[in-house]
Amino acid sequence: NAGVTQTPKFQVLKTGQSMTLQCAQDMNHEYMSWYRQDPGMGLRLIHYSVGAGITDQGEVPNGYNVSRSTTEDFPLRLLSAAPSQTSVYFCASRTDLSGNTIYFGEGSWLTVV
Amino acid sequence: AQSVTQLDSHVSVSEGTPVLLRCNYSSSYSPSLFWYVQHPNKGLQLLLKYTSAATLVKGINGFEAEFKKSETSFHLTKPSAHMSDAAEYFCVVSEDSNYQLIWGAGTKLIIKP
């Protein structure tokens, strides 16, 4: 049971480049989400999805795009990377919106230069 | 609206002495509360969770937390610190009404030999 798998673990981008952070879970969870973690702050919600075909914005959605074509996958796209998007990104999943056990990926360290 | 305040950004204790990490929350409804731990350059691991059962919650690695509704607190404690406890700890609240997670800013626990 792999849990939540995020790739890549480390990435350096130039300003203006686009890229996709991949997230996959094999637990048949309905609810998936993306967070960013910045120094001195807790995790902040970027986007979330309550099931295939349904996505919604979180606290800090600007500059990011998501889609949920399958239950398993929830990729996060940076449309035009900016230095302010340098951060650590975590994907998470849980059984459903009320599921109290949340599973996190190991994180993706992104640097935009 | 929900909010979480971790009262100390850094806590330093000597190995073998007690640990206290403080967390206060604000919630309009019945909250679920969590503590997560993050070791340097690692992902997030659930230490324990409170979901309206027993107010004293025991977690992994000897940690426990007590939910005190009258004080709106959920402080994390451990009787005897170990060097391996050095990490950052996050207090998280989730309201049953919307299930979104609100993260505290984190407390960095430093263990002195």
Side-chain angles (χ1 to χ4, degrees), chain A residues 11-18 80-83 111-113:
Chain A
Q11 182 73 50
V12 179
L13 283 179
K14 293 183 179 177
T15 298
Q17 284 185 316
S18 62
S80 177
T111 302
V112 183
V113 298

Side-chain angles (χ1 to χ4, degrees), chain B:
Chain B
Q2 309 164 77
S3 66
V4 178
T5 303
Q6 291 184 244
L7 296 161
D8 307 291
S9 61
H10 294 79
V11 169
S12 181
V13 302
S14 297
E15 190 175 19
T17 64
V19 174
L20 170 63
L21 305 183
R22 299 182 294 166
C23 173
N24 286 110
Y25 70 92
S26 169
S27 173
S28 304
Y29 299 92
S30 300
S32 294
L33 293 153
F34 309 82
W35 275 99
Y36 280 85
V37 61
Q38 185 180 32
H39 288 91
N41 299 316
K42 297 287 186 185
L44 292 147
Q45 182 181 21
L46 179 67
L47 272 180
L48 49 81
K49 61 183 177 183
Y50 166 77
T51 55
S52 74
T55 56
L56 183 62
V57 183
K58 294 191 183 298
I60 61 172
N61 301 335
F63 284 94
E64 62 182 38
E66 186 170 9
F67 173 68
K68 292 187 176 180
K69 188 173 182 178
S70 60
E71 298 176 11
T72 60
S73 69
F74 191 57
H75 301 335
L76 182 70
T77 60
K78 183 173 180 178
S80 177
H82 192 273
M83 293 300 292
S84 61
D85 295 328
E88 190 155 21
Y89 293 79
F90 294 93
C91 182
V92 184
V93 65
S94 173
E95 283 186 353
D96 290 347
S97 62
N98 62 27
Y99 306 110
Q100 298 301 328
L101 300 178
I102 304 298
W103 292 71
T107 298
K108 197 156 288 186
L109 178 62
I110 300 159
I111 311 295
K112 296 178 289 188

Side-chain angles (χ1 to χ4, degrees), chain A residues 24-45:
Chain A
Q25 52 91 10
D26 60 359
M27 297 171 283
N28 203 32
H29 286 172
E30 291 295 325
Y31 186 91
M32 296 184 73
S33 52
W34 276 102
Y35 293 89
R36 59 178 289 171
Q37 183 182 27
D38 300 295
M41 305 178 75
L43 271 66
R44 292 183 292 166
L45 183 65

Side-chain angles (χ1 to χ4, degrees), chain A residues 78-94:
Chain A
L78 279 71
L79 308 172
S80 177
S84 60
Q85 292 179 303
T86 294
S87 188
V88 183
Y89 292 84
F90 286 96
C91 180
S93 77
R94 48 182 157 163

